[in-house]
Amino acid sequence: MQFALPPRKSSHPPLYSRPSQSSALRRRQLKTAAVLGFVVISILLFISHLFSSGSQSTSVAGGPKVVLVTVLDEQSLSDGYIQRIKQNREDYAKRHGYLNFFASTSEYVPVLNDAPRSWASIPAVRHAMTLYPGSTYFFHLSPHALIMNPTLPLTSHVLDYKKLDSLMIKDIPVVPPDSVIKNVQPPGRKGRRFDHHPRWREFMPR
């Protein structure tokens, strides 16, 4: 006697079969985990951006204590000379923690009008002051000057108030030999009035 075999179950579920409760629960868990991960990553990125931007603004606001301003005229100085001057300045600034600001004379020619090209040092210093408002000292150094003793810091050798006062040449006529206007009066001395000078009438317009 033969018995009919039971029909085999298909290994492929029907296309529109209802998902089981376990698979639906798993999908909800994965979705929740993805949302939480996105939120955590967003918070971490925001915090890192906040701290990085804060540290950058602090460094810009503080700035270097001393900025060395050197204006280089490519029309009158050779490339080799300019490179040697820059290296001399960089070695000195690195030793004392200063910053070099190298400017080109050609950048300021449009604002000089008919003034000599050497006057480019004035807008160059103002340019450096704009870029580094948190710095304390701005020291212009001629491109023809060479730092011979790099161990001497500017802050104590020149820029200190008492040291600078002792180095300044005082009570010198602006227009030699006997100009009424003097550059700096010594402490405790009052300047002479213009009309008390014996030749003051010679300076008056006719």
Side-chain angles (χ1 to χ4, degrees):
M1 182 180 292
Q2 294 182 353
F3 297 93
L5 296 175
R8 291 185 177 182
K9 293 184 178 180
S10 175
S11 59
H12 302 284
L15 184 62
Y16 299 101
S17 61
R18 184 177 180 181
S20 62
Q21 294 182 356
S22 60
S23 60
L25 179 61
R26 185 177 180 182
R27 281 199 298 270
R28 284 198 298 269
Q29 291 176 348
L30 291 175
K31 186 177 181 180
T32 304
V35 172
L36 290 177
F38 177 78
V39 172
V40 171
I41 293 175
S42 301
I43 293 175
L44 292 176
L45 290 176
F46 175 77
I47 293 175
S48 63
H49 176 72
L50 183 65
F51 278 96
S52 62
S53 61
S55 61
Q56 183 178 3
S57 62
T58 302
S59 62
V60 172
K65 187 173 184 179
V66 178
V67 177
L68 298 174
V69 181
T70 306
V71 185
L72 302 168
D73 192 351
E74 292 84 356
Q75 291 188 5
S76 59
L77 303 175
S78 65
D79 294 339
Y81 180 85
I82 291 176
Q83 293 303 321
R84 287 193 293 270
I85 288 296
K86 286 185 175 181
Q87 186 63 43
N88 178 255
R89 304 287 195 272
E90 292 291 356
D91 293 341
Y92 181 74
K94 185 177 180 180
R95 180 187 294 262
H96 299 284
Y98 302 157
L99 178 72
N100 276 298
F101 178 75
F102 297 108
S104 175
T105 302
S106 59
E107 297 180 10
Y108 310 104
V109 168
V111 300
L112 293 179
N113 296 327
D114 296 330
R117 293 175 65 89
S118 59
W119 284 30
S121 58
I122 298 175
V125 173
R126 296 190 64 178
H127 189 186
M129 295 173 68
T130 303
L131 293 177
Y132 307 100
S135 298
T136 306
Y137 301 105
F138 295 86
F139 192 84
H140 172 258
L141 196 57
S142 169
H144 304 289
L146 190 66
I147 301 175
M148 301 298 294
N149 189 352
T151 61
L152 294 176
L154 279 173
T155 49
S156 60
H157 189 63
V158 177
L159 300 177
D160 181 73
Y161 176 76
K162 294 181 179 180
K163 185 68 176 180
L164 184 62
D165 185 68
S166 64
L167 294 174
M168 291 178 64
I169 301 175
K170 305 177 181 67
D171 202 27
I172 301 299
V174 175
V175 181
D178 55 353
S179 174
V180 177
I181 304 174
K182 306 296 178 66
N183 59 347
V184 178
Q185 294 292 332
R189 177 177 174 181
K190 296 182 179 180
R192 298 174 60 184
R193 287 182 54 183
F194 180 78
D195 56 356
H196 285 182
H197 194 276
R199 296 172 52 193
W200 71 274
R201 293 185 181 276
E202 299 180 12
F203 299 93
M204 299 298 294
R206 299 181 182 276

